[in-house]
Amino acid sequence: MNYSLDSKRKVRKSDRPRHRGLRQKLIANLSAKGIADQRVLQAMLSIPRHFMIDEEFVDWAYRDIAFPIEADQTISMPYTVAMQSQLLEVQPGDKILEVGTGSGYQAAVLYVMGAKVYTIERQRDLFDKTSILLNEMGYHRIRTLYGDGYIGAQRFAPFDKIIVTAGTQIFPHRLFEQVKIGGIMVIPQGGRSGQEMMRYIKTSKTTYLSENHGSCAFVPMLSGTR
Ligand code: SAH
């Protein structure tokens, strides 16, 4: 499989058997760490994650670590992406909003799993760059939005599921209103020193169940755009 990316830089990124081999190892590692949703693992096996980080660091793409991308942001570690995707219990056709597009990798995983994906990013440069990349990689129907995730995307609501990929201290009520009854929101909550991975299941317009799925570390969710 070959993709031609970024004609200005004249870079042609390719997905070679070596990369697939690295992905296979990564998937085995994630499965050993307790990721059991085969559809999550299959999606991660098929996505060339090395296209989503800087050229010089290709060899880091398939290690289970978080990695810096543009604008002081990070691409979440593969385990975290797998865990959040698993907690979403993605069904084909689910309408999902992601907050924090970043590199686009998490959005691609949900899309390959068959979801209708909307993803929102507050930083203009990342929004521009990642929108182009996702399109070039063939994930044409991922809808990228520029805006503040605390506000969400009311014009496309309601969503079956919402995934937040930045850490927040405040519960984003306005966002949770955009989840359908019976729907799920997965969100890291807590301060800058670390968060807990929370899953909320909306049981009625005003009630929800909450579950704590353990500690995690995300860059902060900030309000407004930039
Ligand atoms: N899901 C990403 C991880 C991104 S890191 C990936 O797969 O690579 C978190 C991202 O959330 C950053 O890009 C940051 O700019 C963005 N972010 C932080 N606060 C936000 C907000 N209020 N609305 C939208 N995006 C936000």
Side-chain angles (χ1 to χ4, degrees):
M1 199 184 344
N2 276 304
Y3 301 87
S4 172
L5 292 180
D6 204 337
S7 54
K8 277 197 217 103
R9 282 191 291 144
K10 299 261 187 292
V11 171
R12 190 174 169 84
K13 294 193 184 188
S14 57
D15 191 28
R16 301 184 184 285
R18 182 174 80 85
H19 298 121
R20 197 176 161 89
L22 291 170
R23 285 203 289 281
Q24 257 152 354
K25 280 195 191 142
L26 172 68
I27 267 61
N29 181 6
L30 296 175
S31 145
K33 286 182 178 170
I35 302 299
D37 186 333
Q38 292 305 313
R39 293 177 36 253
V40 171
L41 297 172
Q42 281 308 311
M44 291 178 74
L45 184 61
S46 79
I47 300 169
R49 188 172 188 265
H50 61 286
F51 288 11
M52 291 165 148
I53 66 175
D54 282 343
E55 195 79 359
E56 308 93 87
F57 301 111
V58 164
D59 285 343
W60 294 78
Y62 299 109
R63 300 193 192 175
D64 195 15
I65 50 169
F67 205 80
I69 49 170
E70 314 257 302
D72 291 332
Q73 300 304 323
T74 56
I75 178 169
S76 305
M77 63 190 281
Y79 176 76
T80 305
V81 173
M83 156 95 160
Q84 284 197 289
S85 306
Q86 177 166 279
L87 287 172
L88 280 178
E89 295 177 0
V90 180
Q91 299 302 321
D94 272 354
K95 191 172 158 189
I96 302 182
L97 174 66
E98 177 196 26
V99 173
T101 310
S103 68
Y105 182 66
Q106 173 72 73
V109 171
L110 300 173
Y111 176 76
V112 170
M113 291 178 74
K116 283 168 71 179
V117 181
Y118 297 76
T119 180
I120 185 164
E121 173 57 54
R122 68 180 286 278
Q123 295 210 46
R124 185 89 222 185
D125 46 357
L126 265 178
F127 163 78
D128 288 340
K129 190 178 163 208
T130 302
S131 301
I132 294 170
L133 179 70
L134 287 171
N135 204 31
E136 284 176 328
M137 288 177 72
Y139 306 131
H140 306 293
R141 290 193 309 278
I142 296 178
R143 186 81 183 251
T144 56
L145 310 167
Y146 172 60
D148 179 359
Y150 278 111
I151 294 166
Q154 186 59 53
R155 70 195 147 129
F156 301 109
F159 297 94
D160 296 297
K161 296 167 186 168
I162 293 184
I163 170 174
V164 179
T165 67
T168 176
Q169 275 173 297
I170 357 163
F171 184 86
H173 288 281
R174 199 154 162 193
L175 192 58
F176 195 55
E177 274 170 24
Q178 296 168 27
V179 175
K180 275 183 194 162
I181 293 169
I184 294 175
M185 179 166 78
V186 174
I187 178 169
Q189 269 184 285
R192 278 178 190 247
S193 55
Q195 305 93 26
E196 305 288 319
M197 184 63 75
M198 300 300 297
R199 174 161 77 169
Y200 295 96
I201 299 161
K202 197 165 188 170
T203 46
S204 78
K205 216 168 173 323
T206 52
T207 56
Y208 58 77
L209 296 172
S210 72
E211 300 165 357
N212 184 332
H213 290 272
S215 33
C216 52
F218 282 79
V219 295
M221 180 164 167
L222 304 171
S223 46
T225 51
R226 232 203 52 179

